[in-house]
Amino acid sequence: MPPPVAVGAAASVLAALGHAPTTLDQLLERTQFELSQVNAILLELELAGTVARAPGNVYERITPPTPRA
């Protein structure tokens, strides 16, 4: 099953994340959200399997595996 589609603030964080590893400071600067809000959204996205924390305390999108026919 694909991960749920992000809406609202979560979609804004995903857009700010882009497709390259991104630091928390970059996300805060790009979204202009409060630290607590970004942390909560990142946790939700991690639990949904959409985002992962990588070494060096950066975040990156996770590409879900393509289902085989």
Side-chain angles (χ1 to χ4, degrees), residues 3-49:
V5 175
V7 294
S12 296
V13 170
L14 275 177
L17 182 62
H19 293 281
T22 306
T23 66
L24 183 58
D25 288 338
Q26 290 171 317
L27 289 173
L28 291 169
E29 184 178 319
R30 292 174 187 173
T31 62
Q32 297 297 304
F33 293 158
E34 297 291 324
L35 175 61
S36 60
Q37 185 177 12
V38 173
N39 278 329
I41 292 167
L42 286 170
L43 177 60
E44 288 178 22
L45 293 171
E46 284 183 83
L47 293 173

Side-chain angles (χ1 to χ4, degrees), residues 45-57:
L45 293 171
E46 284 183 83
L47 293 173
T50 306
V51 170
R53 187 180 311 196
N57 204 25

